[in-house]
Amino acid sequence: MDRVYEEIKALKQSEKSTVQLVKGQGSEQLFIRKTLQGRHMVYRTLQDLSHPYLPNIYEVSFADNSTTVVEEYIEGQTTGSAELSEKQCRMIGREICDVLIFLHENGIIHRDIKPSNILLAKDGHIRLIDFDAARMPKEEAEQDTMLLGTRGYAPPEQYGFSQTDERADIYALGVTLKQLLGSRAGKRRYSGCLSKCTNLDPDKRYRSVRQVKKAFLGVTVRRAGIFIAAAAFFIAVVLWNVLPNGMQPKNMSGADGNESDLIVLPAPADAHWDGETGFGYWGCVFESGVGGEQRYDWRLYRRDTKTPPDLEKDAWESEGMMRGNVSWTRDGTTSGTEEEAYFCTSFSDEFLGNGFYYFAVRASGDGVTYADSPFVLSDAFAFTGEDAPRLPAPEGLYWAAKETDESRWYFGAFTNWDDYEDKDVVDVYVYNEAGEYIMNTMVSKGFLLDSEWPGVRIRQEFVGEPGETYRFALQVHTSRPNEYKSSPPVSPYPEEEYLSPPFTVPIPQS
C-alpha cells in the first residue's frame, strides 16, 4: 500500500478478520483498516461508488488469500445502542432504504443488515458499514458458496437453501426495523409492512426495497390529475397505487444489452414552484414512460439557507414517481400544445421542517429505447409552516354509489366540506377486510364540486369483488402549507378513528 499508517488501537480480532483504528503517518486523520480472510472483491466495487450514507473506501489491496481495506472513520454510535424516537426510526428507515436501493442497483447485496452495522453519525444521518458478508449475485449459481450473516437477521436462504438476492436484505431490514421500533412495531402502520419483509418464503416478501420504503413510510406514487377552472384556478392531482412489479428497477440496457445504445431523454424544462401552494411544475417530456403515459422521478431537498443543493452529493428528504397522460399550461389550465405542456404534483405533505425546499425531477425512460434524463433542479420554496395548525380530519365518512350507463361508481364520501379550500386535495386510501392497503386516489375539492361527486371516486376494479368487504380513510392535503398542515395522516395503516364503516360489495342476484 502507498501510505503508511500508525495503529491507534485494535477494535476487533477474530480468525477471519482484524479491524484497527489507525491514522496516517504524520497526520491526525483517523481511518479504519481491516484485514479480511479471503478475497472480498465487493470492496473494490465500493471504492468506485459514492453515496452519502456509505463510508468512503480509500484503499483496497489483495495479498495471498487476504484483503486489506482502508476506509473512512465515522464518529457516532450504532443505532442499536441509541434511544430513538419514532420520528428518528422513520428517518433511519428511510435512509437505510435509500442506501440499499443504491447498492442493489449496483448489484451489491449487503447480507448483514442489523442495528450494529448502522451508525448514526454526528451529522444526524446514517452510515451503513461492514460489507464483509456482502456479495454480488452470480447468474448461474443455485446457492451461495459462503454462508455468512448474523443469526436472527439472516433469512433461511442465506444458510444454503438458495442463492441470496435483494430479498435477503429485505428480510434483515424488516428484522432491523422491528428492533429499532420496539413496541411501536406493532402499530398497524408498520406491522403489515414488517410482517411481509420477514416472511420466511422469499417469494412472499417485497420484491424491491423501493416497495418496502413506500409501505413503511407511506411514500406515494403519483399519477397525473386534471386541472379545472372555477372561480380561480385549482389543481387536481390523482395518485394511483402501482402494482408491485411496477416498482421493480428498470433494465437500463438496449436491445443488445448495451446501455450506450439507449437514447437519453431530454431533461424536463422550467422546473418551478407555483407560488405559495406547494405545487411543483415542470415541462412535459412526451417520450418518457411507457404505454402512452409519461413518467417522472422526483426528489425533494430541504436546506437551512437559500443555497441550492448539490444533486451529486446532498441527500434528499423524500422521493417518488409521477406518471400520467394529462398535461397543463403554466397557469393551470388544460394544455393545448406540446410546447406549453406541463406536469405538476403537490409536495405540501412532504414538508417536515422550516427551510428552503427544492425539488429535482427527471424524465424516466422505458429501459429499451430511452434512458432516464438527468435530474434538473427547481427554484426555492420558503416553508415557514412547521408549527402551523393541521386542517381538521374529514368527518362523517360514508360510502356512496352512483349508477352510470356502463358501471356502478363507488365514492369515499365525507360531510365537513366547508373546512377546506377548493385547491386542497382529498386523498382516499382503501383497505380490504384484512386491513391490507389496496390503492389510493387524490383529487381536489374543487374538482369534486365541479363534477358533482359526493366524494373521491374509488374505481370499481379495486373494490368490485362481490361479497368482499372494504374500508377507506381520508386525508386532506393542504394547498396553503405555510398556513395549515394537511389533516392527520392515515397512510399506510390508519387508526380506527379515521376509518370508514365497512362496506360489502353486493352479490348479484341470479
Side-chain angles (χ1 to χ4, degrees):
M1 304 178 77
D2 296 331
R3 297 188 62 178
V4 177
Y5 297 92
E6 176 184 342
E7 180 180 348
I8 304 299
K9 64 177 179 179
L11 301 178
K12 180 181 177 182
Q13 179 77 50
S14 70
E15 293 182 1
K16 295 183 178 181
S17 66
T18 299
V19 182
Q20 302 165 314
L21 179 65
V22 301
K23 67 178 182 179
Q25 197 171 56
S27 168
E28 294 303 313
Q29 185 177 1
L30 298 176
F31 303 90
I32 297 294
R33 181 171 66 190
K34 306 167 72 170
T35 303
L36 310 170
Q37 184 182 27
R39 296 177 68 85
H40 294 254
M41 299 302 296
V42 70
Y43 279 104
R44 180 62 58 80
T45 301
L46 287 167
Q47 190 176 13
D48 296 329
L49 300 177
S50 176
H51 191 278
Y53 306 147
L54 292 176
N56 292 314
I57 307 295
Y58 298 113
E59 297 181 20
V60 180
S61 63
F62 304 100
D64 298 327
N65 191 37
S66 68
T67 303
T68 300
V69 180
V70 177
E71 64 183 50
E72 180 183 8
Y73 169 69
I74 307 295
E75 188 176 359
Q77 64 181 137
T78 66
T79 56
S81 63
E83 291 188 13
L84 302 171
S85 66
E86 184 171 354
K87 183 176 180 180
Q88 286 176 306
C89 289
R90 289 175 63 81
M91 181 276 292
I92 291 168
R94 173 175 61 80
E95 294 188 351
I96 299 171
C97 287
D98 286 341
V99 71
L100 284 176
I101 290 168
F102 174 79
L103 291 169
H104 292 174
E105 286 177 346
N106 284 279
I108 297 172
I109 314 300
H110 188 280
R111 296 206 306 165
D112 202 14
I113 302 295
K114 57 184 178 181
S116 60
N117 282 339
I118 303 165
L119 295 181
L120 192 56
K122 291 294 185 180
D123 63 5
H125 298 285
I126 70 158
R127 303 294 189 278
L128 180 60
I129 62 171
D130 195 351
F131 284 78
D132 300 356
R135 67 183 296 275
M136 304 186 77
K138 301 174 183 178
E139 292 184 2
E140 303 302 323
E142 294 183 357
Q143 66 181 52
D144 294 346
T145 55
M146 298 179 65
L147 309 181
L148 300 172
T150 301
R151 191 169 295 277
Y153 294 89
E157 66 266 26
Q158 205 158 310
Y159 293 100
F161 295 100
S162 62
Q163 185 186 198
T164 53
D165 57 19
E166 290 92 339
R167 293 170 298 178
D169 281 348
I170 288 171
Y171 181 96
L173 173 60
V175 177
T176 296
L177 292 174
K178 280 185 181 179
Q179 191 102 348
L180 297 181
L181 285 165
S183 61
R184 295 166 296 203
K187 288 186 175 183
R188 288 189 66 189
R189 68 186 306 176
Y190 305 122
S191 59
C193 168
L194 300 181
S195 177
K196 187 165 184 174
C197 285
T198 54
N199 196 299
L200 295 179
D201 183 350
D203 290 336
K204 294 182 180 179
R205 295 176 208 149
Y206 294 104
R207 292 196 285 269
S208 76
V209 179
R210 290 186 188 276
Q211 293 178 357
V212 178
K213 180 179 177 181
K214 176 179 180 293
F216 184 72
L217 298 175
V219 176
T220 304
V221 177
R222 307 180 179 200
R223 185 166 177 165
I226 306 169
F227 281 79
I228 302 292
F233 294 119
F234 58 83
I235 296 171
V237 181
V238 179
L239 298 179
W240 294 97
N241 178 48
V242 177
L243 294 175
N245 59 13
M247 296 294 288
Q248 296 303 305
K250 299 183 294 294
N251 173 14
M252 293 306 295
S253 60
D256 62 355
N258 188 348
E259 182 177 346
S260 63
D261 291 340
L262 298 182
I263 301 169
V264 177
L265 289 169
D270 192 22
H272 66 278
W273 294 98
D274 175 38
E276 298 296 316
T277 64
F279 287 90
Y281 280 73
W282 59 87
C284 290
V285 179
F286 287 94
E287 302 92 337
S288 65
V290 294
E293 286 193 328
Q294 300 163 55
R295 173 173 163 169
Y296 305 92
D297 301 313
W298 56 262
R299 294 170 177 173
L300 188 69
Y301 296 81
R302 192 194 74 83
R303 309 288 286 173
D304 290 324
T305 62
K306 200 174 181 179
T307 305
D310 185 330
L311 298 186
E312 297 296 325
K313 297 180 180 179
D314 292 339
W316 51 89
E317 293 289 313
S318 58
E319 64 178 347
M321 177 265 284
M322 185 179 182
R323 69 183 203 176
N325 51 21
V326 180
S327 57
W328 314 276
T329 62
R330 203 179 196 277
D331 64 5
T333 57
T334 302
S335 171
T337 67
E338 290 192 5
E339 290 73 18
E340 58 184 9
Y342 282 82
F343 254 68
C344 85
T345 191
S346 171
F347 292 104
S348 61
D349 206 42
E350 308 286 344
F351 302 147
L352 299 180
N354 290 339
F356 294 91
Y357 283 83
Y358 294 80
F359 68 87
V361 62
R362 71 179 174 193
S364 180
D366 59 7
V368 178
T369 302
Y370 295 104
D372 296 344
S373 79
F375 275 100
V376 292
L377 192 65
S378 72
D379 54 352
F381 179 87
F383 175 63
T384 58
E386 179 179 347
D387 297 321
R390 283 196 178 277
L391 291 173
E395 298 175 356
L397 305 189
Y398 66 97
W399 288 85
K402 180 179 180 180
E403 298 289 346
T404 71
D405 293 338
E406 299 178 356
S407 63
R408 183 179 177 89
W409 287 12
Y410 297 106
F411 300 88
F414 60 104
T415 58
N416 56 327
W417 289 64
D418 291 342
D419 288 331
Y420 311 114
E421 297 283 326
D422 281 2
K423 288 187 179 182
D424 295 339
V425 286
V426 187
D427 194 359
V428 63
Y429 288 81
V430 181
Y431 304 86
N432 63 18
E433 192 170 13
E436 297 171 331
Y437 166 83
I438 297 175
M439 56 80 70
N440 67 294
T441 301
M442 177 191 260
V443 294
S444 73
K445 173 191 167 182
F447 175 73
L448 298 180
L449 290 171
D450 187 79
S451 303
E452 298 183 348
W453 287 359
V456 184
R457 183 187 172 191
I458 301 170
R459 294 176 68 91
Q460 189 175 15
E461 56 260 43
F462 296 107
V463 292
E465 188 66 31
E468 292 294 317
T469 300
Y470 303 95
R471 302 180 78 179
F472 70 83
L474 294 176
Q475 182 182 19
V476 178
H477 297 269
T478 179
S479 61
R480 299 153 290 164
N482 286 331
E483 298 179 35
Y484 294 96
K485 294 179 182 177
S486 299
S487 68
V490 297
S491 170
Y493 299 102
E495 303 292 337
E496 180 67 25
E497 63 181 303
Y498 298 125
L499 280 167
S500 73
F503 166 70
T504 302
V505 180
I507 299 175
Q509 301 295 318
S510 58

